[in-house]
Amino acid sequence: SFKDPGFLPSESCQALTYLEPEPDESGSSAYLKAPRRYCSICQIIQPYRTKHCSACGKCCRKYDHHCVFLGVCIGQYNHGLFWWYLFCQATTLSFAVNELSDWFQNTNTDDFINIAITILILILAVLSVIYFIMVWMLLIFHTFLILTNQTGWELALGSKINYLKVFRVSLPPHQTNYSPFHKNVFLSFWQNC
């Protein structure tokens, strides 16, 4: 993807403060008692939901992950594009698996050439099914993340992220995985995709 994922310029160094940080997208400030993190590499105070990507060497807003297949961070400005990319991949693989299953139902394996082609297409079908399952699982996971306005980084390491720890202390035990950024599913999907 050629779209900037939300990299922060390293020259925008701010004074280290525990006071009024920026509000989140929904205007909620329930978690804003937590100090923001300082990135010693970029030498900036990171806004909430920002993480330094060691692969890119920059801090990325609303960091989700660094995609090794695309070679870019997935962040605030390209998470929706990443979801659409997964959606297109999943749809294409669905058609491919369907076409391969149709081919197997209508094939004739009476001669050697057809047997060789069948073996090659069988290998292709197995790989397609494996990719089909992986991409659909990734699409479902990122659909969940977008609908709940979370990132993979926050979901995986939420108990270690300062602003989420401060917010989750005030919640009942059955809601400890709740995100302070979640609004409603329609608004989250509209804003992220």
Side-chain angles (χ1 to χ4, degrees):
S1 172
F2 295 109
K3 185 166 177 125
D4 173 28
F7 290 132
L8 294 176
S10 57
E11 62 270 0
S12 66
C13 189
Q14 308 116 346
L16 183 60
T17 179
Y18 293 92
L19 303 174
E20 285 300 311
E22 66 202 36
D24 71 351
E25 297 127 5
S26 68
S28 170
S29 60
Y31 65 94
L32 293 180
K33 295 175 183 154
R36 291 191 280 172
R37 297 167 11 140
Y38 178 75
C39 178
S40 60
I41 297 169
C42 295
Q43 297 184 352
I44 61 170
I45 308 286
Q46 296 175 332
Y48 292 120
R49 310 188 89 182
T50 301
K51 182 181 180 302
H52 184 85
C53 176
S54 58
C56 292
K58 298 179 183 177
C59 289
C60 181
R61 285 186 180 269
K62 200 176 172 189
Y63 178 86
D64 187 83
H65 70 284
H66 182 86
C67 182
V68 294
F69 299 109
L70 298 177
V72 71
C73 287
I74 305 302
Q76 182 174 2
Y77 301 127
N78 66 354
H79 197 190
L81 292 174
F82 181 71
W83 185 89
W84 283 108
Y85 169 76
L86 289 176
F87 180 80
C88 291
Q89 290 291 316
T91 304
T92 302
L93 284 167
S94 298
F95 286 124
V97 168
N98 184 45
E99 288 299 316
L100 288 169
S101 68
D102 286 348
W103 188 88
F104 276 115
Q105 291 173 359
N106 300 325
T107 191
N108 180 9
T109 57
D110 292 339
D111 59 11
F112 177 75
I113 293 176
N114 282 342
I115 292 173
I117 291 173
T118 302
I119 291 171
L120 290 174
I121 291 188
L122 180 62
I123 293 169
L124 179 64
V126 169
L127 291 174
S128 295
V129 168
I130 291 169
Y131 293 143
F132 171 83
I133 292 168
M134 288 173 31
V135 169
W136 271 101
M137 289 174 64
L138 197 57
L139 176 65
I140 290 167
F141 176 65
H142 277 277
T143 301
F144 167 76
L145 290 176
I146 283 179
L147 293 179
T148 57
N149 200 16
Q150 296 184 75
T151 67
W153 174 59
E154 291 170 340
L155 187 66
L157 298 173
S159 62
K160 296 179 181 179
I161 301 172
N162 283 340
Y163 61 87
L164 291 178
K165 281 195 289 190
V166 169
F167 177 76
R168 290 176 178 169
V169 167
S170 63
L171 294 175
H174 67 282
Q175 287 185 330
T176 55
N177 286 329
Y178 181 77
S179 172
F181 307 104
H182 178 65
K183 303 165 197 103
N184 69 53
V185 293
F186 300 111
L187 184 60
S188 291
F189 188 79
W190 178 259
Q191 288 180 341
N192 291 302
C193 287

